[in-house]
Amino acid sequence: MLTIERIMKKLYALLLGGGLLVSSSCSDFIDLTPTHSLSSTTVFGKLDDFEPVLNGTYASMRDLYAYGLFQSVMPDMMADNTLETTESLVNYKAVTDWTYAADQLRVAEVWRFSYLMINDANLILQNITQFESTNPQRANRFKGQALAIRGLMHFNLLRYYAPNFDRNSTAPGIPIKTTPVIELPGRATVKEVYDQIYKDLEAALPLLNDVDAAINTNTRRSRIDAATVNAILARVALYAKEYDRAITFATAAITARPLASRASFPGIWTDANADEVLFSIQFNPGEGGPALDVWSPATNRAQFDPSAELLSLYDAAKDVRYTSYFTPGASVPGSVNRATRVVSTKYQGKGTARDGAVNFKAFRTGEMYLIRAEARALSNRATEALADLNTLRAARIADFTPRTETGQALLDAIATERRKELWLEGHRWFDLKRTTRVVQRVSCRAGVVCNLPASSPKWAWPIPQNERLANPNIAQNEGY
């Protein structure tokens, strides 16, 4: 397994071809001494050289251990939104039944792959300074994206490996990596990790507002721009319970990308449009897809079904999300064996394709309304919170009559709407972790672990064993 230290030793040998494109199909790399070495000045001799490295980092986000599974649909698979079926290949049972351990592949690869992308960002940031005076706006475009990627990846790591999300927590978080040099850092506190995440994202924002060319278009949202950074900051602030900041950043993202209409909403999921998409991970044919381990369109294997409890929350006749996310099994070709079940077809493919190679929407305006609603409700701004919630519900549900929830009922309604709106978008496990810290799987099938109590140490993943063997400065989480 590659540790943080060994990543650095392999770095320049892997840079050619555009970023750290690494295989995740096996648990280890063969350490070969390269027949040549590359210096930073050789790799980054001109501004044009930053583009392929940045492109390679975005391509890496498609990996199974990034947004190809673990940062996309795995948080639903780990929680109460899905139930494992008899068709499961049980490839992820240790994760979805919370029996993970420090020496397991899945735990180690999520860690490793996130730090690989952080190192890509660090290489760009270390070498971009020499070009900032000659073409500042173009340099801003590369530097701003690299800072945002570094902040986002540290946040993604924090979500899995930290025991809590309290803004000023002195509990161990994760190692902070801000330079591509060989070092063996200990775990920073959760507070220190938040400090670094905010620092990176807030530094990226003015840079991405002063660039030489548009980073995205209205129909292509596969790069991080200023609107994306506001969305990332809104999510971070919600986790940190800094509600005023969450409101500010969510509002900026909403202004940049308004909610999709009910008519255009289904097209988001076939990539017919990018309405309300703030940032998506691009999957092309042959590059996998974000939800193939939930339901594979090509083979029609449903390894995880949406839970009956989740399905009962939707108005199947009026809620556009129900028909956009789910299909009755009898309507899916070749589904005789699951005709009475509901299939998760949210990520079926682009257009009419049935290959699962559809873009993963990492940040959407629907989430921003829910962030702002929750932050307002917890800031004694209930009227505004309810308005946000009703705006979202009216955009999704035909003939919706505004509701009048207050107090705890309002908070419960926001939580329910998050569950419905953000199905298979990387949130449910972490929403439970940051609030109730309880998983209760209803109608749980035989062979599936059904409940995870708040007291369980499994809410924080273990630090990978190989990392600890290579780095004596890094402490393990409690319970492992």
Side-chain angles (χ1 to χ4, degrees):
M1 187 71 59
L2 286 180
T3 63
I4 293 175
E5 181 182 23
R6 290 173 64 200
I7 288 169
M8 317 317 301
K9 295 178 180 178
K10 298 180 65 62
L11 191 56
Y12 293 120
L14 292 169
L15 263 173
L16 287 182
L20 293 171
L21 303 180
V22 289
S23 169
S24 61
S25 60
C26 59
S27 63
D28 211 339
F29 259 79
I30 299 174
D31 281 324
L32 301 176
T33 302
T35 57
H36 64 282
S37 62
L38 301 173
S39 68
S40 294
T41 55
T42 302
V43 175
F44 298 106
K46 55 187 182 300
L47 268 173
D48 287 345
D49 296 331
F50 290 86
E51 194 79 60
V53 177
L54 190 60
N55 289 344
T57 308
Y58 282 116
S60 296
M61 292 183 187
R62 291 195 297 263
D63 190 85
L64 179 76
Y65 293 102
Y67 291 97
L69 177 68
F70 278 84
Q71 299 293 352
S72 54
V73 301
M74 181 56 75
D76 284 83
M77 294 161 66
M78 291 174 66
D80 54 0
N81 275 351
T82 64
L83 283 177
E84 192 169 11
T85 75
T86 56
E87 298 173 43
S88 174
L89 300 175
V90 299
N91 291 328
Y92 307 104
K93 198 163 184 61
V95 178
T96 58
D97 281 358
W98 322 301
T99 58
Y100 28 76
D103 61 352
Q104 288 173 353
L105 169 67
R106 311 301 184 192
V107 167
E109 288 293 270
V110 171
W111 176 278
R112 179 176 71 90
F113 221 87
S114 298
Y115 278 112
L116 285 172
M117 289 183 281
I118 287 171
N119 271 310
D120 278 353
N122 284 337
L123 275 171
I124 292 171
L125 294 168
Q126 176 181 265
N127 291 282
I128 196 71
T129 55
Q130 61 186 307
F131 302 103
E132 290 177 335
S133 61
T134 57
N135 195 335
Q137 288 184 312
R138 192 175 185 204
N140 286 353
R141 179 156 54 88
F142 297 130
K143 184 177 181 179
Q145 291 178 79
L147 282 166
I149 289 169
R150 189 170 74 183
L152 177 59
M153 293 305 143
H154 276 102
F155 180 63
N156 285 348
L157 282 161
L158 188 75
R159 294 203 299 171
Y160 268 119
Y161 296 94
N164 65 66
F165 301 137
D166 297 340
R167 176 63 178 92
N168 294 309
S169 174
T170 58
I174 57 167
I176 295 171
K177 284 290 294 176
T178 58
T179 60
V181 298
I182 298 173
E183 58 186 359
L184 299 174
R187 295 174 69 180
T189 66
V190 171
K191 179 187 183 303
E192 290 167 338
V193 179
Y194 270 126
D195 290 344
Q196 183 62 49
I197 292 168
Y198 274 128
K199 181 179 179 181
D200 281 346
L201 295 172
E202 290 175 342
L205 200 52
L207 297 176
L208 294 175
N209 277 314
D210 184 22
V211 295
D212 63 323
I215 295 172
N216 291 309
T217 68
N218 195 47
T219 57
R220 186 178 184 274
R221 305 289 307 171
S222 59
R223 297 291 184 268
I224 294 177
D225 59 13
T228 313
V229 174
N230 278 312
I232 300 170
L233 280 163
R235 187 184 292 178
V236 172
L238 183 70
Y239 276 61
K241 296 183 173 64
E242 296 187 316
Y243 299 127
D244 287 345
R245 303 184 84 185
I247 293 166
T248 297
F249 294 126
T251 299
I254 289 168
T255 300
R257 302 289 295 172
L259 272 179
S261 68
R262 193 158 50 253
S264 67
F265 186 81
I268 295 173
W269 309 105
T270 61
D271 291 329
N273 66 68
D275 291 4
E276 82 167 57
V277 176
L278 288 149
F279 175 49
S280 63
I281 313 303
Q282 186 167 330
F283 287 87
N284 299 308
E287 294 175 344
L292 295 176
D293 290 288
V294 175
W295 175 67
S296 171
T299 63
N300 199 29
R301 179 186 292 275
Q303 298 192 64
F304 288 82
D305 282 343
S307 71
E309 181 190 20
L310 171 74
L311 293 174
S312 70
L313 300 176
Y314 297 89
D315 182 331
K318 293 185 176 182
D319 196 326
V320 69
R321 292 170 297 193
Y322 189 89
T323 51
S324 298
Y325 297 174
F326 312 106
T327 302
S331 300
V332 179
S335 65
V336 175
N337 63 328
R338 62 180 68 87
T340 60
R341 284 155 54 184
V342 174
V343 177
S344 307
T345 50
K346 184 174 185 174
Y347 298 108
Q348 181 167 289
K350 299 179 189 289
T352 59
R354 289 174 50 85
D355 57 3
V358 64
N359 297 349
F360 175 71
K361 288 72 190 176
F363 289 86
R364 288 194 296 116
T365 306
E367 181 195 354
M368 297 300 109
Y369 269 89
L370 290 163
I371 287 174
R372 194 168 69 178
E374 185 176 340
R376 284 173 165 171
L378 292 167
S379 303
N380 297 315
R381 298 168 66 174
T383 301
E384 294 168 283
L386 180 62
D388 279 336
L389 182 60
N390 279 335
T391 296
L392 178 65
R393 292 188 290 202
R396 306 296 189 237
I397 303 168
D399 304 319
F400 176 76
T401 300
R403 296 176 188 163
T404 58
E405 298 98 335
T406 60
Q408 187 60 47
L410 176 58
L411 288 170
D412 292 344
I414 293 167
T416 296
E417 214 61 34
R418 279 188 69 90
R419 192 174 182 185
K420 294 161 61 180
E421 176 75 14
L422 303 176
W423 151 254
L424 287 186
E425 293 183 51
H427 295 278
R428 183 61 177 169
W429 167 264
F430 301 114
D431 280 349
L432 293 174
K433 181 177 178 178
R434 69 182 179 83
T435 55
T436 61
R437 284 181 66 101
V438 173
V439 177
Q440 294 178 325
R441 290 170 172 161
V442 179
S443 302
C444 200
R445 296 190 176 112
V448 177
V449 180
C450 300
N451 299 299
L452 186 69
S455 59
S456 173
K458 300 298 184 177
W459 288 101
W461 279 19
I463 303 302
Q465 184 65 22
N466 282 352
E467 184 68 32
R468 295 192 66 233
L469 291 172
N471 182 356
N473 300 317
I474 192 164
Q476 185 55 278
N477 278 323
E478 292 184 12
Y480 297 99

